[in-house]
Every structure is written in C-alpha cells, then in structure tokens.
Amino acid sequence: GYSAGMKLNPINIDHHLPEVSFTKEEYFVGEGDEIVSIELERSVEIFWSVSVRIKVVISDFATANDGADYISINDIINFQSGDMKKSLAIAILEDIYVEQIEYFILMLESVYG
C-alpha cells in the first residue's frame, strides 16, 4: 500500500528543561521508511550528566495510531558529561491503506539526574 506518510511534531512543554531540545521542529517520514530517527541536543552545561524523558503525547491533534502507524515510546535518554547529541528511533508501521498525512506528538520532560 501507499501512504502520504506521517508528520511528527515534537514539542518542548517542560520549560524547566532549557539545555535539552529537539534538533528539528518537525519530522516527515513515509510508512515504508520503517523508522524515524529523533535527535536531541544539549546547548548548555555540557559537563554534567542529565536525563530526559521523551514520550508520545495523547492529543486531539494526533491522527496516527499507536500499534497501527507507529510504535509508541516512553524512554529516558541519558546525556553523560560532554555528550552534546543523542538520538533514538521510533518504529513506523506500514499498512495497506492509502492515507493522508498523519501526526503524532513527542514531548520532553525533565528527569532528575
């Protein structure tokens, strides 16, 4: 099947997390791509460790379905002293339906570390 693909809208809701952010505001992938690589970067205080949680947010704006279009995540990413960038993969699932662009939303949360 063919799909128009999916659009991911990462958002940084937790304003107490200034040093870690997404490297892009939007990611576009097709269902045939199998994964999308999400990158996070640190901008300040690179000489101490910090951990952040990245997760898919349930929202009225999200049109892609967990388990049918992608496999949801709720992971903790650890930045060690000196780490500037980290990436993680989200699995994109292909189905047999012709679909319009679908969305899911990612969020960063602070984790004590």
Side-chain angles (χ1 to χ4, degrees):
Y2 173 80
S3 172
M6 282 180 257
K7 178 179 174 185
L8 292 73
N9 285 325
I11 54 176
N12 292 320
I13 288 183
D14 191 340
H15 297 290
H16 302 289
L17 190 62
E19 76 249 7
V20 177
S21 62
F22 294 99
T23 59
K24 294 182 184 180
E25 289 186 22
E26 298 177 337
Y27 293 81
F28 293 91
V29 296
E31 287 186 349
D33 291 339
E34 297 182 0
I35 65 165
V36 59
S37 180
I38 306 297
E39 290 192 349
L40 306 175
E41 67 183 351
R42 287 176 67 165
S43 58
V44 296
E45 303 290 341
I46 63 170
F47 299 108
W48 58 300
S49 299
V50 67
S51 298
V52 296
R53 180 178 305 278
I54 182 171
K55 65 182 183 178
V56 175
V57 177
I58 305 300
S59 166
D60 291 340
F61 301 109
T63 56
N65 295 306
D66 179 23
D69 298 308
Y70 68 96
I71 297 177
S72 187
I73 60 164
N74 186 352
D75 294 337
I76 295 176
I77 306 299
N78 299 303
F79 285 82
Q80 299 302 318
S81 176
D83 288 346
M84 289 297 294
K85 290 189 176 185
K86 292 285 184 169
S87 64
L88 70 146
I90 298 175
I92 304 300
L93 304 175
E94 188 168 6
D95 57 31
I96 61 172
Y97 303 107
V98 176
E99 301 167 309
Q100 302 219 2
I101 293 176
E102 296 178 301
Y103 302 87
F104 63 90
I105 298 171
L106 298 172
M107 181 176 73
L108 291 177
E109 293 179 331
S110 61
V111 175
Y112 297 101

